[in-house]
Amino acid sequence: MNSLTRLFSPIQIGSVELKNRLVMAPMATGWANHDGTISEKLSSYLEARARGGVGLIITEVATVDGNYPYVPATVGLWDDKQIPGIRKLTDVIHSHGAKIIPQISHPGPESVSLLFGDTQPVGPSQMLCHSNKQNCRELTVEEIETIVGQFAEAARRAREGGYDGLELHAAHSYMLLGSFISPLRNRRTDTYGGSIEGRLKLPLQVIERIRAKVGNDFPIFLRISGDELYAGGRDIRETQYIAPILARAGISAFDISAGSYPQMSWRIVPPSGTPFGINTPYSRAVKEVVDIPVMAVGRINEPRFAEDILARSEADLIGMGRALLADPELPNKAMEGKFDDIAPCTGCGVGCSRAQQDERNITCVINPAVGRESKLQLNTTPTPKRVLIIGAGPGGLETARVAALRGHQVILCDKQNKVGGQLNLASVPPMKQELAKWVQYLQIQIKKAGVDLRLNTEVTPDNIDQFKPDVVVIATGGEAFVPGFAVAGGKSLPTAHDVLAGNVTIQAGNVIVLGGGVVGCEVADFLANRGDNQLIGRTDVTIITGKEEVGLKLVREIRAMTMQRLREKGVHIINKAKVIAILEDGVRIQRNGQQEDITGADAIILARGVKSVDKLSLAIRDKVSEVYVIGDAKEPREAMEAIAEGSKVARDI
């Protein structure tokens, strides 16, 4: 019996009733057309979440001035020509019983305007814009008045386009309104700065002008940091003071986040390992001082936990972003009590946050269909085949799941005694345990789909005929790369994989980790301890890397936290160093043209990446007509590529 009575109860926001308390939080995609209109790709992506049962969708930033885009392909509300496309989108969303509002903003310091001409980003004060590495100039009072009018006109277009309200972005000392509110970025000495009232002047003017343009029956959400969590920034006490002022001015609901940009960027998009419901202390504090609905966001990716937040009166609405990337059907599945069928968000940031940072299309490790909802449909095959999948890592599991759902007869073999492949190791380091949810989810799904799982079963060229496959998918993954170092005494060195798997136990002492990539940083984090807890003992770790910096492939938010922990644990990093030889108790390196011996090590661990394991594809091509190689077996990468390739292969079979 479903006990999510609060989560799936309706709620009134001003004049608009939502069918439930689940809100899709705004996430930038960059999928608008280049004139700011809504593209088919963006519409299909949002429609999938509306069809999935969410009560309200808050779209990504829609900019009020076309000269100041937020992303290269930014959504716009600066031109009446954009209204017909908006109307088409809102009609589609409404047809599924959901409501939709845009998050409107002037990007201000975060504008990428200089990429498209000579227009310089603007803000409350002259400053360096960390997101685009540009200087922004201080707005004049006359320019501020113009921007206030642009916000009002954008609100009018939103209403005429059929949106059910709007959200103003004033959080994280970010974009124009957020930077005006925050003392971290507002250094003005005129009436728009200095005091709390001065910093509030612009958002209050914007709210007043919007209300004059669209009336009082058009809900206005305000996204704001409950606490900026940085010295000199706004704290929760000040937020409690200004929240009633903003509510009286015409705000209909608050969207409470936390952190400031760039100082506390990991708190804005909190990654795996951070507390669930990380911002609920702030949403609860705001809820204590206002009588309008308050939404909590940040690390709420499980519906039963969301219900608990509502039950504890920590919020009235639940904002989910990345969880709805992972599974757009999360609301419907939760309402039906199908919790095991919800594709889990782990907060990894690999497909979403890092993609934005790398200026690539966002996706999701566990859901390759993000942004391709209309193309990646699961269609039943007219010609069922016998499909043998070798390797039950993430790629093999996803291939098995999709192929079985399409109607193929699927056999999944792995020579190990459990599924998961390298995810079993990836979930061991600190703050990474949530990755195990992918393994658990996929194992449940292949069982429900009828996959014939055979563990402790090694497939070879000699025994493959007994499986009688029409198709073979090789997903045998990778293994630790062992470089050809000259090792004193001819001994072999343990790998990071050995340590994380528990095959090699490292006692307290001095440890050298060779390699400063993701795995090198994670195994150092796993082992290092200052020894304050005498039951654990002291382990001093030194990372040696040839790169200028370590952990560069970590998601930005996760890297910030990882590096902080490494510093706190006293991990020593030697960069730009080439390892020449392995000594009895250390290594010989070369850097800056000089040789140097690093000695006194009790253990030396190899963390030099992964090499592909594929011993079958060439050997069986004369036995099986259809052979595919995916994931690390094809080329060492990440779980995201393995799952995406497995999903594609299973759809192509």
Side-chain angles (χ1 to χ4, degrees):
M1 181 178 178
N2 195 334
S3 60
L4 306 182
T5 55
R6 295 174 181 84
L7 191 60
F8 291 102
S9 64
I11 185 173
Q12 196 76 23
I13 312 291
S15 60
V16 173
E17 183 179 86
L18 308 182
K19 66 180 180 180
N20 60 49
R21 310 296 180 99
L22 273 173
V23 179
M24 180 180 175
M27 294 172 286
T29 65
W31 291 338
N33 296 317
H34 286 283
D35 60 356
T37 54
I38 305 296
S39 67
E40 287 299 321
K41 181 176 184 177
L42 180 57
S43 179
S44 295
Y45 156 78
L46 294 173
E47 183 184 5
R49 276 75 200 167
R51 188 187 304 115
V54 74
L56 173 67
I57 292 172
I58 306 178
T59 72
E60 64 193 272
V61 169
T63 55
V64 303
D65 186 339
N67 294 316
Y68 293 95
Y70 178 54
V71 292
T74 197
V75 177
L77 274 169
W78 66 77
D79 193 316
D80 284 2
K81 294 178 182 178
Q82 294 157 345
I83 295 175
I86 294 169
R87 172 62 70 177
K88 184 178 178 182
L89 170 66
T90 56
D91 286 346
V92 166
I93 300 303
H94 291 154
S95 71
H96 297 287
K99 306 296 184 184
I100 181 170
I101 66 175
Q103 185 183 80
I104 72 171
S105 182
H106 189 298
E110 273 60 61
S111 172
V112 294
S113 52
L114 276 177
L115 296 178
F116 303 99
D118 298 326
T119 305
Q120 187 177 9
V122 294
S125 309
Q126 186 170 323
M127 69 187 83
L128 174 66
C129 308
H130 294 275
S131 57
N132 50 38
K133 306 301 181 186
Q134 300 166 352
N135 284 316
C136 81
R137 64 173 180 82
E138 181 173 305
L139 284 165
T140 67
V141 172
E142 291 75 20
E143 288 174 318
I144 291 173
E145 174 60 26
T146 298
I147 290 171
V148 171
Q150 290 175 326
F151 270 98
E153 284 299 300
R156 172 187 62 80
R157 295 184 187 103
R159 179 153 200 164
E160 291 180 10
Y163 282 122
D164 301 289
L166 60 86
E167 176 172 89
L168 296 173
H169 192 308
H172 313 141
S173 66
Y174 193 67
M175 293 197 271
L176 198 63
L177 296 185
S179 61
F180 263 83
I181 287 179
S182 174
L184 292 172
R185 299 182 90 169
N186 186 340
R187 297 146 192 166
R188 298 178 76 100
T189 56
D190 61 7
T191 58
Y192 285 94
S195 64
I196 295 175
E197 290 73 21
R199 288 186 274 111
L200 278 179
K201 185 174 180 179
L202 175 57
L204 289 175
Q205 286 180 332
V206 167
I207 296 166
E208 179 183 20
R209 193 75 66 84
I210 288 176
R211 282 288 175 226
K213 182 68 67 171
V214 301
N216 294 323
D217 61 342
F218 195 61
I220 302 176
F221 283 62
L222 184 74
R223 184 174 178 86
I224 191 170
S225 294
D227 195 309
E228 292 182 335
L229 301 172
Y230 196 77
R234 195 183 68 255
D235 63 8
I236 185 57
R237 181 64 187 87
E238 183 177 325
T239 303
Q240 285 184 309
Y241 172 68
I242 67 175
I245 297 172
L246 292 162
R248 289 192 295 270
I251 293 300
S252 310
F254 284 104
D255 176 357
I256 303 298
S257 183
S260 52
Y261 186 87
Q263 296 91 343
M264 295 292 292
S265 59
W266 69 266
R267 279 297 269 104
I268 298 170
V269 187
S272 58
T274 52
F276 295 113
I278 193 168
N279 296 322
T280 53
Y282 308 118
S283 61
R284 182 169 192 162
V286 172
K287 189 169 160 54
E288 290 172 356
V289 298
V290 298
D291 58 3
I292 59 176
V294 175
M295 182 168 79
V297 297
R299 292 286 284 153
I300 308 172
N301 52 22
E302 211 284 328
R304 287 169 289 196
F305 186 77
E307 175 74 14
D308 187 69
I309 291 171
L310 298 175
R312 293 174 182 270
S313 295
E314 293 174 326
D316 305 291
L317 295 159
I318 301 296
M320 289 188 180
R322 293 168 290 174
L324 291 168
L325 292 182
D327 196 336
E329 291 288 328
L330 181 152
N332 286 340
K333 291 176 181 178
M335 192 158 42
E336 296 168 7
K338 298 179 179 178
F339 301 111
D340 288 342
D341 293 336
I342 296 173
C345 170
T346 66
C348 73
V350 171
C352 48
S353 299
R354 194 173 69 187
Q356 289 180 316
Q357 295 158 19
D358 296 342
E359 298 182 356
R360 295 182 288 108
N361 275 332
I362 69 166
T363 182
C364 177
V365 171
I366 201 67
N367 180 18
V370 172
R372 296 185 288 172
E373 285 78 10
S374 61
K375 297 178 181 178
L376 294 186
Q377 301 290 332
L378 274 180
N379 299 316
T380 302
T381 178
T383 54
K385 298 179 181 178
R386 189 173 172 87
V387 180
L388 173 63
I389 302 168
I390 307 168
L397 288 166
E398 174 68 359
T399 310
R401 182 186 75 87
V402 175
L405 289 175
R406 292 192 59 226
H408 294 295
Q409 182 185 356
V410 179
I411 302 170
L412 175 60
C413 296
D414 198 294
K415 64 181 181 180
Q416 303 298 326
N417 63 0
K418 60 182 178 180
V419 303
Q422 291 187 73
L423 281 179
N424 293 318
L425 304 181
S427 62
V428 172
M431 319 294 273
K432 297 287 294 294
Q433 284 67 43
E434 283 181 79
L435 298 188
K437 293 196 293 188
W438 289 336
V439 180
Q440 295 162 356
Y441 163 76
L442 289 170
Q443 185 165 18
I444 290 170
Q445 296 310 303
I446 64 167
K447 182 178 181 180
K448 288 187 174 185
V451 172
D452 180 2
L453 174 63
R454 304 182 188 181
L455 298 175
N456 300 304
T457 302
E458 184 172 5
V459 179
T460 68
D462 295 331
N463 68 7
I464 196 168
D465 289 339
Q466 72 183 45
F467 297 96
K468 299 180 174 58
D470 301 308
V471 180
V472 170
V473 179
I474 297 171
T476 43
E479 62 185 13
F481 172 69
V482 179
F485 292 130
V487 181
K491 62 181 180 181
S492 61
L493 298 180
T495 67
H497 289 62
D498 294 325
V499 174
L500 295 175
N503 297 327
V504 173
T505 301
I506 303 297
Q507 303 293 336
N510 295 317
V511 177
I512 293 175
V513 175
L514 300 182
V518 172
V519 176
C521 289
E522 289 179 345
V523 78
D525 193 9
F526 176 67
L527 291 173
N529 195 285
R530 283 195 173 277
D532 298 322
N533 185 332
Q534 294 180 359
L535 293 175
I536 300 174
R538 183 179 182 90
T539 303
D540 290 307
V541 178
T542 298
I543 296 175
I544 299 178
T545 177
K547 306 290 185 182
E548 291 190 7
E549 296 185 58
V550 300
L552 290 177
K553 289 189 177 181
L554 286 164
V555 174
R556 184 168 57 196
E557 292 80 13
I558 292 177
R559 184 174 187 268
M561 297 180 65
T562 302
M563 296 306 294
Q564 179 180 337
R565 289 196 304 276
L566 294 183
R567 283 190 291 270
E568 291 172 350
K569 294 178 178 181
V571 173
H572 182 48
I573 298 172
I574 299 175
N575 54 14
K576 295 187 287 188
K578 180 181 180 181
V579 177
I580 298 173
I582 307 298
L583 310 176
E584 285 288 350
D585 66 340
V587 298
R588 179 166 295 149
I589 64 172
Q590 185 174 36
R591 59 174 175 167
N592 300 322
Q594 302 292 321
Q595 287 191 10
E596 180 181 352
D597 288 351
I598 311 297
T599 58
D602 298 297
I604 301 169
I605 299 169
L606 289 174
R608 300 294 294 268
V610 171
K611 65 177 181 179
S612 297
V613 174
D614 172 17
K615 301 176 182 178
L616 289 171
S617 61
L618 293 178
I620 65 171
R621 287 196 183 276
D622 60 340
K623 298 184 176 184
V624 184
S625 60
E626 204 171 344
V627 178
Y628 301 91
V629 183
I630 66 168
D632 280 0
K634 181 179 180 181
E635 179 185 352
R637 288 153 299 160
E638 295 179 295
M640 181 173 71
E641 287 82 10
I643 290 175
E645 289 173 2
S647 178
K648 182 180 186 304
V649 164
R651 285 173 166 84
D652 291 343
I653 294 173

